[in-house]
Amino acid sequence: MKISVCGKGGSGKSSIVTLLANGARDRGYRVLVVDSDESNSGLYRMFGFDRVPVPLMELLGGKRSLKQKMNHPQVLTQAEIWLRDIPSEYMLEKDGIRLVAIGKILQALEGCACPMGVLSREFLKKLRLKDKEIAIVDMEAGVEHFGRGVETSIDNVLIVVEPSLESITLAERVNSLATESGVNNTWTVLNKVSSEGMALKLRDELSKRGVGVIGAIHNDPGIFEACFEGRPLGDGKAGEEIGEVLDFLLSEAKSGDEGSRNNLK
Ligand SMILES: Nc1ncnc2c1ncn2[C@@H]1O[C@H](COP(=O)(O)OP(=O)(O)OP(=O)(O)O)[C@@H](O)[C@H]1O
Ligand SMILES: [Mg+2]
């Protein structure tokens, strides 16, 4: 199963990716985390890696070379990419989690991030997963990745919604863009929820907009502090809460039953 995690800037995408990945690993899955955010590079710290992996873009000769290849149908020459095919410098591995990064914008005036979008799309399309393997993609903030078609091979889009109107309206937009991209399963997870009343309000606003909520992660000072100090995220209560979201996504993948969309909590 391939899950992409998207939403408004700062809503908690990378934190949710980390919690989901750790939860999947604890359930016996081989987990590949794909860092597809070309701006922020802090995801590796949330997992306790001591460096970022060499970006996949370098495997193709860097951004300039990738840009030249962009209009060729075969950006990546292989028809299929299995986990074992990814060289170790490009895929860090620790405690059952594997991390790859597409590429980062490092210099001023280096041009747009389109080549990274193309590489994300092609990599995810060709990525083949075996039974009990899962890929979780940390998307850049906003919706540009839909314009680049990054979601074409994604099974589940998970939108992170924090308590703000901006975040809610973006979720509605992402929901329709995901449908237009051919993704059958789009869900939201609430994050940074400070009270049950707040959770109810958010669920209500999202249901008015036709967006299904599959779980809520409360405001957790432990997550905030770990991010602030650059430490790996622990699990704690948020780990339990993400468990529900993960179990939902995994059972959805097993049943492949779109009808269960109507049975949301
Ligand atoms: N459940 C939570 N409780 C408390 N703080 C949280 C929670 N989730 C995320 N945060 C905090 O919110 C901030 C943004 O989180 P994170 O980096 O995961 O968001 P993001 O959506 O990936 O951001 P960006 O768009 O910049 O990539 C961080 O300071 C993080 O510690
Ligand atoms: Mg992030």
Side-chain angles (χ1 to χ4, degrees):
M1 177 170 53
K2 298 174 189 171
I3 305 174
S4 77
V5 178
C6 54
K8 187 177 105 36
S11 56
K13 298 176 292 300
S14 301
S15 304
I16 297 289
V17 164
T18 307
L19 293 168
L20 280 174
N22 289 341
R25 183 262 326 271
D26 295 346
R27 282 161 175 74
Y29 280 78
R30 293 181 86 206
V31 183
L32 176 69
V33 174
V34 180
D35 183 354
S36 179
D37 182 341
E38 56 259 3
S39 304
N40 301 302
S41 55
L43 184 64
Y44 73 99
R45 291 199 195 93
M46 296 190 185
F47 287 103
F49 289 108
D50 57 5
R51 63 185 173 89
V52 286
V54 178
L56 292 175
M57 198 169 65
E58 296 305 319
L59 197 58
L60 298 169
K63 190 173 170 193
R64 186 168 299 168
S65 154
L66 180 56
K67 208 168 175 178
Q68 285 159 4
K69 295 177 194 153
M70 235 166 80
N71 295 326
H72 293 262
Q74 294 292 355
V75 178
L76 290 159
T77 44
Q78 310 95 298
E80 299 182 333
I81 302 169
W82 299 86
L83 292 188
R84 60 166 187 268
D85 300 332
I86 306 171
S88 60
E89 359 156 27
Y90 300 91
M91 183 171 72
L92 300 181
E93 190 168 346
K94 185 173 183 282
D95 303 330
I97 304 283
R98 291 149 201 81
L99 175 68
V100 296
I102 300 296
K104 301 285 170 196
I105 293 178
L106 300 172
Q107 289 158 2
L109 308 178
E110 72 167 53
C112 78
C114 304
M116 274 88 122
V118 170
L119 181 54
S120 285
R121 184 188 68 212
E122 294 302 306
F123 174 73
L124 290 169
K125 229 194 261 175
K126 294 183 170 186
L127 180 65
R128 295 288 176 274
L129 297 168
K130 296 184 189 158
D131 190 33
K132 285 283 205 179
E133 288 183 346
I134 188 168
I136 306 177
V137 189
D138 189 9
M139 288 290 181
E140 54 164 330
V143 293
E144 203 177 332
H145 43 94
F146 283 102
R148 296 178 189 156
V150 178
E151 269 78 6
T152 37
S153 61
I154 293 289
D155 307 302
N156 283 281
V157 168
L158 185 64
I159 315 166
V160 182
V161 176
E162 62 173 10
S164 76
L165 184 58
E166 206 59 50
S167 192
I168 293 168
T169 50
L170 185 72
E172 185 179 15
R173 207 150 142 240
V174 168
N175 191 38
S176 52
L177 287 168
T179 309
E180 284 165 29
S181 307
V183 180
N184 289 325
N185 300 312
T186 306
W187 320 102
T188 56
V189 57
L190 311 179
N191 190 32
K192 306 188 194 180
V193 175
S194 52
S195 67
E196 284 317 306
M198 174 61 73
L200 274 175
K201 261 191 205 162
L202 287 169
R203 284 175 190 275
D204 189 37
E205 288 301 324
L206 288 162
S207 107
K208 275 189 220 158
R209 292 166 169 82
V211 190
V213 178
I214 57 168
I217 312 299
H218 284 84
N219 190 53
D220 180 347
I223 294 184
F224 180 80
E225 277 158 32
C227 289
F228 188 68
E229 290 165 14
R231 283 188 284 109
L233 296 199
D235 32 21
K237 189 163 178 232
E240 280 169 39
E241 291 170 334
I242 206 74
E244 271 185 45
V245 174
L246 192 53
D247 289 337
F248 179 92
L249 294 171
L250 293 173
S251 66
E252 190 69 13
K254 265 197 201 116
S255 67
D257 173 16
E258 281 177 42
S260 63
R261 253 195 122 161
N262 302 322
N263 292 329
L264 297 170
K265 287 183 279 176

